[in-house]
Amino acid sequence: MIPLVFHPIYSQLNLPERHRFPIEKYVGIRDELIKRGVPDSQFFRPSPISVETLKSFYHSDYVNALTQGTLEKQAMRRIGFPWSEQLIERTRTAVAGTCLTAELAVTEGKALNLTGGYHHAFADFGSGFCLFNDLYLAAKKMQQYDGIDNVLIVDLDVHQGDGTAKLAENDNDIFTLSLHGEKNFPHRKQQSNIDIGLAKGAEDDEYLSTLEEALTLSLRQFQPDAIIYDAGVDIHVNDDLGHLHVSTKGVFERDKQVFQLASQLGVPIAAVIGGGYQRNIIALVDVHIQLYRAAGVIA
């Protein structure tokens, strides 16, 4: 039974009307998985990560200001959410969820979070709906286990994983691969170990062949003991912010490619759902659910 990580707070955030962030999708994914026969016992519930743990990886002044509600307005605008205690509780729980997913992946071989992929968060500021970088933290969590020294972060969200790249730039035991839309946020890219930017309108064949080449190139440079996978679906043809033309089948084939890599290498893999910004939540959930099909959670 493949462990799944979920907390109802993932979808509990009061946002202004017509806000761009599709907060309902997380509970939508959970409900769809249950509808397709996944038992409640397969879900693990995280507890919020402590502020002290966050401060051991990220700048204390930033962590304090953000969690206490004293961060400057301009810095909050860059994040894209209005500040609230609910936002902080949700964020701490979501980050803890990815860390728990990483731990469960190590012990069980594979695990998936129903949120995660907050890859635009840096050590001292947040950006693009990301407050604290869960991917980097999860990689460090995996490295606490015997036999896991090298962690590969495969970021296939349509937006470059700039915060992750910056956080890991001096970590020789964390390798960052970002395959993203070249002409998309963030406009100022960081330096991942491997960056591949796709032109607007890229379709399934181009995307999947480029991914295969990128994964092969990664393995020539790095031998991972574990993989963290950001499976953003904002590459989808109907995504409002993505500008790529990958089909739902293409998303499934992409996800399958990454899970097959972990299987071939015999290494644990922790997956998060990443971005996806269709306003039609039912349609959006259908694209995100491909990750769980590819992982073998559902048929």
Short mmCIF file of all heavy atoms in Angstrom, two decimals, residues 14 25 39 52 62 116 196 221 274 279:
data_model
loop_
_atom_site.label_atom_id
_atom_site.label_comp_id
_atom_site.label_asym_id
_atom_site.label_seq_id
_atom_site.Cartn_x
_atom_site.Cartn_y
_atom_site.Cartn_z
N ASN A 14 -8.76 31.14 3.61
CA ASN A 14 -9.71 32.14 3.15
C ASN A 14 -8.97 33.13 2.25
O ASN A 14 -8.11 33.87 2.71
CB ASN A 14 -10.34 32.87 4.33
CG ASN A 14 -11.15 31.93 5.21
OD1 ASN A 14 -11.82 31.03 4.71
ND2 ASN A 14 -11.06 32.10 6.52
N LYS A 25 -8.34 22.46 -4.71
CA LYS A 25 -7.93 21.26 -5.46
C LYS A 25 -7.41 20.14 -4.56
O LYS A 25 -7.53 18.96 -4.90
CB LYS A 25 -6.88 21.62 -6.52
CG LYS A 25 -5.49 21.97 -6.02
CD LYS A 25 -4.56 22.26 -7.20
CE LYS A 25 -3.13 22.55 -6.73
NZ LYS A 25 -2.23 22.79 -7.89
N PRO A 39 -8.56 3.51 0.51
CA PRO A 39 -9.11 3.52 1.87
C PRO A 39 -8.52 4.65 2.72
O PRO A 39 -7.40 5.11 2.48
CB PRO A 39 -8.70 2.16 2.42
CG PRO A 39 -7.44 1.82 1.67
CD PRO A 39 -7.61 2.41 0.30
N GLU A 52 11.18 26.34 15.02
CA GLU A 52 12.61 26.14 15.28
C GLU A 52 13.26 25.32 14.16
O GLU A 52 14.39 25.59 13.76
CB GLU A 52 12.82 25.47 16.64
CG GLU A 52 12.52 26.37 17.82
CD GLU A 52 13.23 27.72 17.72
OE1 GLU A 52 14.45 27.73 17.51
OE2 GLU A 52 12.54 28.74 17.86
N TYR A 62 13.60 36.11 8.67
CA TYR A 62 12.49 35.89 7.74
C TYR A 62 11.44 34.97 8.36
O TYR A 62 10.23 35.26 8.32
CB TYR A 62 13.00 35.29 6.43
CG TYR A 62 11.90 34.80 5.51
CD1 TYR A 62 10.96 35.68 4.98
CD2 TYR A 62 11.78 33.44 5.19
CE1 TYR A 62 9.93 35.23 4.15
CE2 TYR A 62 10.77 32.99 4.36
CZ TYR A 62 9.85 33.88 3.85
OH TYR A 62 8.83 33.44 3.04
N GLY A 116 2.29 20.36 -1.90
CA GLY A 116 3.75 20.44 -1.98
C GLY A 116 4.26 20.96 -3.31
O GLY A 116 3.52 21.10 -4.29
N ILE A 196 16.47 23.14 -18.36
CA ILE A 196 16.04 23.06 -19.75
C ILE A 196 14.75 23.86 -19.88
O ILE A 196 13.75 23.53 -19.24
CB ILE A 196 15.83 21.61 -20.22
CG1 ILE A 196 17.14 20.82 -20.10
CG2 ILE A 196 15.30 21.58 -21.65
CD1 ILE A 196 17.02 19.36 -20.43
N GLN A 221 25.71 12.55 -14.56
CA GLN A 221 26.41 13.48 -13.68
C GLN A 221 26.25 13.18 -12.20
O GLN A 221 27.02 13.67 -11.37
CB GLN A 221 25.92 14.92 -13.94
CG GLN A 221 26.14 15.41 -15.35
CD GLN A 221 25.64 16.83 -15.55
OE1 GLN A 221 25.68 17.65 -14.64
NE2 GLN A 221 25.15 17.14 -16.74
N GLY A 274 2.75 19.86 -6.95
CA GLY A 274 3.17 21.07 -7.65
C GLY A 274 2.01 21.93 -8.12
O GLY A 274 0.88 21.83 -7.64
N ARG A 279 -9.06 27.09 -13.60
CA ARG A 279 -10.10 27.52 -12.66
C ARG A 279 -11.18 26.45 -12.47
O ARG A 279 -11.86 26.43 -11.45
CB ARG A 279 -10.74 28.84 -13.13
CG ARG A 279 -9.80 30.04 -12.94
CD ARG A 279 -10.58 31.34 -12.96
NE ARG A 279 -9.71 32.50 -12.89
CZ ARG A 279 -9.26 33.05 -11.76
NH1 ARG A 279 -9.60 32.52 -10.60
NH2 ARG A 279 -8.48 34.11 -11.79
#
